[in-house]
Amino acid sequence: MAFLDDQELRGAIQNAGSPEWSVRAAAGRQLAVSDRIGEVADVIHRLLLDAQDTAVIQETAEALLERKDTLGMRLVLLAYSRAVTNDDVDHLGAALDCDPEWMTTEGADRLIKQLRELAADQDAGVREEAQQVLARLRPREDWAGDPARAER
């Protein structure tokens, strides 16, 4: 996590409203890894549903998932549940589905643990998205110990 002082936080929030996609994407990445993420969740949410450029969505979502914590996952699932355009859905889904971290045993275990926790979230959208992702995954126990089962 990055420790942002007040001036850095204000700068990142201001940059989140920039007309330049690259500046907004950098702001999304900076805010996503901030230790003060709770204070800027609404700004992050806006960047996750950026109406002008999908690169902003992708960069922000990937940075949130790189946190490797439930809060980052929750913010991505929340945006995914609120996405209205196909582009938003595609880029948020790509961030969720293509995280190479989940190809490791540790990463897969963390993903399943976070999704199980979020499947009971107070927000219906987060709950439903977490449940849907879990439904698509076979429990790790099914494939971890038996290579023949992984082939099926």
Side-chain angles (χ1 to χ4, degrees):
M1 260 182 279
F3 296 97
L4 300 180
D5 63 30
D6 289 342
Q7 184 177 3
E8 291 170 320
L9 187 65
R10 282 192 304 272
I13 292 169
Q14 182 177 3
N15 288 342
S18 171
E20 298 294 323
W21 72 266
S22 59
V23 174
R24 291 193 315 281
R29 189 163 276 287
Q30 186 177 17
L31 293 170
V33 299
S34 168
D35 61 317
R36 298 168 66 179
I37 196 168
E39 297 175 40
V40 295
D42 58 331
V43 177
I44 290 172
H45 186 73
R46 188 177 74 234
L47 292 168
L48 285 168
L49 298 173
D50 191 277
Q52 299 172 22
D53 200 294
T54 56
V56 177
I57 295 169
Q58 191 84 31
E59 287 291 318
T60 305
E62 288 174 359
L64 285 164
L65 296 174
E66 287 169 8
R67 292 173 59 95
K68 300 180 183 179
D69 65 5
T70 304
L71 179 56
M73 173 67 75
R74 183 183 189 282
L75 290 171
V76 173
L77 289 176
L78 179 64
Y80 194 71
S81 74
R82 306 279 196 285
V84 293
T85 71
N86 288 338
D87 284 341
D88 294 351
V89 170
D90 288 347
H91 285 273
L92 290 166
L96 284 165
D97 295 340
C98 299
D99 190 331
E101 181 72 21
W102 297 334
M103 299 306 289
T104 67
T105 300
E106 180 183 329
D109 287 346
R110 184 176 49 254
L111 170 65
I112 290 168
K113 180 179 181 250
Q114 289 173 351
L115 289 170
R116 284 182 178 154
E117 182 180 333
L118 293 169
D121 194 86
Q122 66 184 26
D123 183 276
V126 172
R127 249 190 342 265
E128 290 170 13
E129 293 303 332
Q131 291 167 358
Q132 287 181 17
V133 174
L134 277 170
R136 289 193 313 257
L137 298 174
R138 288 184 293 168
R140 185 183 168 299
E141 300 79 37
D142 286 355
W143 54 264
D146 186 356
R149 292 182 88 171
E151 304 272 329
R152 291 187 232 162

